[in-house]
Amino acid sequence: MAAVVAALPFGRRYARALTGSQASGDAIVADALRQGLPPLPGSLGLFAAITRLTPTDALDTTPGALSTAGRQLLLLTALEGLSVLDAAQVVGLDPAEAVAVLEAARAALRTITATDVLIIEDEPVIAMDLRMLVESCGHRVTGIAATEAQAVRLAAAHPTGLILADVNLGRGGDGINAVRRILQSVQVPVIFVTAYPERLLTAGEVEPAFIMSKPFDPIALAISTYQAVTAGRVPIA
């Protein structure tokens, strides 16, 4: 039970990333806990219950899109840090089949339609790393904002398909406030990046749908941007 409680914030993150919605993701987690978890060790039962309750129609089924299992395995291994063997148990695949599905999903990520990305990050080195990673995923960076005010100006000046925002901008303000201000005039999916993702998953207030941990993993960034663009909704009220 203690392992499930400790894993709950990350289970909520996984469910939200699958569905593209805070409300839908949290509802699936609640259903999983009510219905009971599969007999898997540690936190794997929670992830497995979430996986099995996620409706297929919540995922993109257009030609060329990632398969349902591909998305699930990428999120479990890249975003949540599970081994391939553990992720295979969660999804209900043979390990060899899971490896093949993962390889196909990673290859498919390279062919995804590009979008325009606004980066909100106050640390220059991290911002440059993010820019390189975003561009390596095939996307275009429309601008890098170091402050809340600059982010609002850049969003107004350049059409944006995705926002990648740090939560803490130091003296430059707050990334969540910057996003709230931007969303008053445009509707765009957002990924929040933070070294402490569990602090945004406390169930204490309206929270973002997409959260990625620092330091950044290229595959985690690729699948997170894909999910945000294809399944994303307005991330905060």
Side-chain angles (χ1 to χ4, degrees):
M1 186 62 182
V4 173
V5 172
L8 193 56
F10 305 102
R12 295 174 69 212
R13 176 172 66 176
Y14 170 59
R16 293 176 186 193
L18 276 175
T19 62
S21 163
Q22 175 193 350
S24 297
D26 284 353
I28 286 173
V29 173
D31 286 344
L33 294 173
R34 279 194 295 267
Q35 294 181 23
L37 307 182
L40 294 174
S43 62
L44 299 186
L46 176 61
F47 285 118
I50 292 167
T51 298
R52 293 165 195 176
L53 286 173
T54 303
T56 301
D57 61 8
L59 307 180
D60 189 6
T61 56
T62 56
L66 295 180
S67 68
T68 298
R71 288 192 187 219
Q72 293 165 345
L73 287 168
L74 280 170
L75 288 168
L76 288 166
T77 56
L79 190 66
E80 301 305 335
L82 269 61
S83 69
V84 176
L85 289 177
D86 285 345
Q89 289 188 74
V90 167
V91 176
L93 294 177
D94 176 87
E97 185 181 1
V99 169
V101 171
L102 260 179
E103 289 177 353
R106 287 171 179 159
L109 282 176
R110 303 188 188 101
T111 66
I112 292 168
T113 302
T115 193
D116 296 312
V117 181
L118 170 62
I119 296 173
I120 306 174
E121 170 60 62
D122 65 314
E123 293 288 343
V125 174
I126 295 176
M128 288 300 102
D129 284 345
L130 275 173
R131 179 173 200 137
M132 288 188 292
L133 286 172
V134 166
E135 291 177 343
S136 72
C137 292
H139 303 298
R140 300 171 295 271
V141 175
T142 59
I144 298 176
T147 68
E148 184 177 327
Q150 187 180 14
V152 174
R153 288 196 302 270
L154 285 173
H158 304 286
T160 301
L162 174 69
I163 297 173
L164 194 60
D166 192 4
V167 172
N168 184 0
L169 301 177
R171 295 183 179 179
D174 181 273
I176 293 179
N177 286 339
V179 168
R180 282 197 176 100
R181 292 172 61 187
I182 292 168
L183 293 179
Q184 290 175 1
S185 56
V186 296
Q187 301 249 325
V188 58
V190 181
I191 300 171
F192 285 102
V193 292
T194 174
Y196 305 99
E198 65 275 12
R199 294 182 183 177
L200 296 180
L201 292 163
T202 61
E205 58 182 15
V206 176
E207 301 161 339
F210 295 96
I211 305 168
M212 194 172 70
S213 301
K214 293 181 178 179
F216 311 108
D217 175 84
I219 295 296
L221 178 62
I223 184 59
S224 295
T225 55
Y226 181 81
Q227 286 295 102
V229 170
T230 60
R233 298 176 176 87
V234 177
I236 58 176

Coordinates of all heavy atoms in Angstrom, one line a residue, residues 118-156:
L118 N 7.2 27.7 -28.2 CA 7.7 28.7 -27.4 C 8.3 28.2 -26.1 O 7.6 27.4 -25.4 CB 6.6 29.7 -27.1 CG 6.9 30.8 -26.0 CD1 8.0 31.7 -26.5 CD2 5.7 31.6 -25.7
I119 N 9.5 28.5 -25.9 CA 10.2 28.0 -24.7 C 10.2 29.1 -23.6 O 10.6 30.2 -23.9 CB 11.6 27.5 -25.0 CG1 11.6 26.3 -25.9 CG2 12.4 27.2 -23.7 CD1 13.0 25.9 -26.4
I120 N 9.8 28.8 -22.4 CA 9.8 29.7 -21.3 C 10.7 29.2 -20.3 O 10.4 28.2 -19.5 CB 8.4 30.0 -20.7 CG1 7.4 30.4 -21.8 CG2 8.5 31.0 -19.6 CD1 6.0 30.5 -21.3
E121 N 11.9 29.7 -20.2 CA 13.0 29.2 -19.3 C 14.0 30.3 -19.0 O 14.5 31.0 -19.9 CB 13.7 28.0 -20.0 CG 15.0 27.5 -19.3 CD 14.8 27.0 -17.9 OE1 14.0 26.1 -17.7 OE2 15.3 27.7 -17.0
D122 N 14.3 30.5 -17.7 CA 15.2 31.7 -17.3 C 16.6 31.3 -17.3 O 17.5 32.2 -17.3 CB 14.7 32.2 -16.0 CG 14.9 31.2 -14.8 OD1 14.5 30.1 -15.0 OD2 15.4 31.6 -13.8
E123 N 17.0 30.0 -17.3 CA 18.4 29.6 -17.2 C 18.9 29.5 -18.7 O 18.4 28.6 -19.4 CB 18.5 28.3 -16.5 CG 18.2 28.4 -15.0 CD 19.3 29.1 -14.2 OE1 20.4 29.3 -14.8 OE2 19.0 29.5 -13.1
P124 N 19.8 30.3 -19.1 CA 20.3 30.3 -20.5 C 20.8 28.9 -21.0 O 20.5 28.5 -22.1 CB 21.4 31.3 -20.5 CG 21.1 32.2 -19.4 CD 20.5 31.4 -18.3
V125 N 21.6 28.2 -20.2 CA 22.1 26.9 -20.6 C 21.0 25.9 -20.8 O 20.9 25.2 -21.8 CB 23.2 26.4 -19.6 CG1 23.6 25.0 -19.9 CG2 24.4 27.4 -19.5
I126 N 20.1 25.9 -19.8 CA 18.9 25.0 -19.9 C 18.1 25.3 -21.1 O 17.6 24.4 -21.9 CB 18.1 25.0 -18.6 CG1 18.9 24.4 -17.5 CG2 16.8 24.1 -18.8 CD1 18.2 24.5 -16.1
A127 N 17.9 26.6 -21.4 CA 17.1 27.0 -22.5 C 17.7 26.6 -23.8 O 17.0 26.1 -24.7 CB 16.9 28.6 -22.5
M128 N 19.0 26.7 -23.9 CA 19.7 26.2 -25.1 C 19.6 24.7 -25.3 O 19.4 24.2 -26.4 CB 21.2 26.7 -25.1 CG 21.4 28.2 -25.3 SD 20.7 28.8 -26.9 CE 19.2 29.5 -26.4
D129 N 19.7 24.0 -24.2 CA 19.5 22.5 -24.2 C 18.1 22.2 -24.7 O 18.0 21.3 -25.6 CB 19.8 21.9 -22.9 CG 21.3 21.8 -22.5 OD1 22.1 22.0 -23.4 OD2 21.6 21.6 -21.3
L130 N 17.1 22.9 -24.2 CA 15.8 22.6 -24.6 C 15.6 22.9 -26.1 O 14.9 22.2 -26.8 CB 14.8 23.5 -23.8 CG 14.4 22.9 -22.4 CD1 13.6 23.9 -21.7 CD2 13.6 21.6 -22.6
R131 N 16.2 24.0 -26.5 CA 16.0 24.4 -27.9 C 16.6 23.3 -28.8 O 16.0 22.9 -29.8 CB 16.8 25.7 -28.2 CG 16.7 26.1 -29.7 CD 17.2 27.5 -30.0 NE 16.7 28.0 -31.2 CZ 16.3 29.2 -31.5 NH1 16.3 30.1 -30.5 NH2 15.8 29.6 -32.6
M132 N 17.8 22.8 -28.5 CA 18.4 21.7 -29.3 C 17.6 20.5 -29.3 O 17.4 19.8 -30.3 CB 19.8 21.5 -28.8 CG 20.8 22.5 -29.1 SD 22.5 22.1 -28.8 CE 22.5 22.0 -27.0
L133 N 17.0 20.1 -28.1 CA 16.2 18.9 -28.0 C 14.9 19.1 -28.8 O 14.5 18.2 -29.5 CB 15.9 18.6 -26.6 CG 17.0 18.0 -25.7 CD1 16.6 18.0 -24.3 CD2 17.4 16.6 -26.2
V134 N 14.3 20.3 -28.7 CA 13.0 20.5 -29.4 C 13.3 20.4 -30.9 O 12.5 19.8 -31.7 CB 12.5 21.9 -29.0 CG1 11.4 22.3 -30.0 CG2 11.9 21.8 -27.6
E135 N 14.4 21.1 -31.4 CA 14.7 21.0 -32.8 C 15.0 19.7 -33.3 O 14.7 19.3 -34.4 CB 15.7 22.1 -33.1 CG 15.2 23.5 -32.9 CD 16.3 24.6 -33.2 OE1 17.5 24.2 -33.1 OE2 16.0 25.7 -33.4
S136 N 15.7 18.9 -32.4 CA 16.1 17.5 -32.8 C 14.8 16.6 -32.9 O 14.9 15.6 -33.6 CB 17.0 16.9 -31.8 OG 16.4 16.6 -30.6
C137 N 13.7 17.0 -32.3 CA 12.4 16.3 -32.4 C 11.7 16.7 -33.7 O 10.6 16.2 -34.0 CB 11.6 16.6 -31.2 SG 12.2 15.8 -29.7
G138 N 12.3 17.7 -34.4 CA 11.6 18.1 -35.7 C 10.8 19.4 -35.6 O 10.2 19.8 -36.5
H139 N 10.7 20.0 -34.4 CA 9.9 21.1 -34.2 C 10.7 22.4 -34.4 O 11.9 22.4 -34.5 CB 9.3 21.2 -32.8 CG 8.5 19.9 -32.4 ND1 7.4 19.6 -33.1 CD2 8.7 19.0 -31.5 CE1 6.9 18.5 -32.6 NE2 7.7 18.1 -31.6
R140 N 10.0 23.5 -34.5 CA 10.6 24.8 -34.7 C 10.4 25.7 -33.4 O 9.3 25.7 -32.9 CB 9.9 25.6 -35.9 CG 10.1 24.8 -37.2 CD 9.2 25.5 -38.3 NE 7.8 25.4 -38.0 CZ 7.0 24.4 -38.4 NH1 7.6 23.4 -39.0 NH2 5.8 24.4 -38.0
V141 N 11.5 26.4 -33.0 CA 11.4 27.2 -31.8 C 11.1 28.6 -32.3 O 11.9 29.2 -33.0 CB 12.7 27.2 -31.0 CG1 12.6 28.2 -29.9 CG2 12.9 25.7 -30.5
T142 N 10.0 29.2 -31.8 CA 9.6 30.6 -32.2 C 10.2 31.6 -31.4 O 10.3 32.8 -31.7 CB 8.1 30.7 -32.2 OG1 7.6 30.5 -30.9 CG2 7.4 29.8 -33.2
G143 N 10.7 31.2 -30.2 CA 11.3 32.2 -29.3 C 11.6 31.5 -27.9 O 11.0 30.5 -27.6
I144 N 12.5 32.2 -27.2 CA 12.8 31.8 -25.8 C 12.6 32.9 -24.9 O 13.2 34.0 -25.1 CB 14.3 31.3 -25.7 CG1 14.5 30.1 -26.6 CG2 14.6 31.0 -24.3 CD1 16.0 29.6 -26.6
A145 N 11.7 32.8 -23.9 CA 11.4 33.8 -23.0 C 12.0 33.5 -21.6 O 11.9 32.4 -21.1 CB 9.9 34.0 -22.8
A146 N 12.7 34.5 -21.0 CA 13.3 34.3 -19.7 C 12.5 34.8 -18.6 O 12.7 34.6 -17.4 CB 14.7 35.0 -19.7
T147 N 11.4 35.6 -18.9 CA 10.6 36.2 -17.9 C 9.1 36.0 -18.3 O 8.8 35.7 -19.4 CB 10.8 37.7 -17.7 OG1 10.4 38.4 -18.9 CG2 12.3 38.0 -17.5
E148 N 8.2 36.2 -17.3 CA 6.8 36.1 -17.5 C 6.3 37.1 -18.6 O 5.6 36.8 -19.5 CB 6.1 36.4 -16.2 CG 4.6 36.2 -16.2 CD 4.0 36.4 -14.8 OE1 4.7 36.1 -13.8 OE2 2.9 36.9 -14.8
A149 N 6.8 38.4 -18.4 CA 6.4 39.4 -19.4 C 6.9 39.2 -20.8 O 6.1 39.4 -21.8 CB 6.9 40.8 -18.9
Q150 N 8.1 38.7 -20.9 CA 8.6 38.4 -22.2 C 7.9 37.2 -22.9 O 7.6 37.2 -24.1 CB 10.1 38.0 -22.1 CG 10.8 37.9 -23.5 CD 12.3 37.5 -23.3 OE1 12.8 37.2 -22.2 NE2 13.0 37.6 -24.4
A151 N 7.5 36.3 -22.1 CA 6.7 35.1 -22.6 C 5.4 35.6 -23.2 O 5.0 35.1 -24.3 CB 6.5 34.1 -21.5
V152 N 4.7 36.5 -22.5 CA 3.4 37.0 -23.0 C 3.6 37.7 -24.3 O 2.8 37.6 -25.2 CB 2.8 37.9 -21.9 CG1 1.5 38.5 -22.5 CG2 2.4 37.0 -20.7
R153 N 4.7 38.6 -24.4 CA 4.9 39.3 -25.6 C 5.2 38.4 -26.8 O 4.7 38.6 -27.9 CB 6.1 40.3 -25.4 CG 5.8 41.5 -24.5 CD 6.8 42.6 -24.7 NE 8.2 42.1 -24.3 CZ 8.7 42.1 -23.1 NH1 8.0 42.6 -22.1 NH2 9.9 41.7 -22.9
L154 N 6.1 37.4 -26.6 CA 6.5 36.5 -27.6 C 5.3 35.7 -28.1 O 5.1 35.4 -29.3 CB 7.6 35.5 -27.2 CG 9.0 36.2 -27.1 CD1 9.9 35.2 -26.5 CD2 9.5 36.6 -28.5
A155 N 4.4 35.2 -27.2 CA 3.2 34.5 -27.6 C 2.3 35.3 -28.4 O 1.6 34.8 -29.4 CB 2.5 34.0 -26.3
A156 N 2.2 36.6 -28.1 CA 1.4 37.5 -28.9 C 1.9 37.8 -30.3 O 1.2 38.0 -31.3 CB 1.1 38.8 -28.1

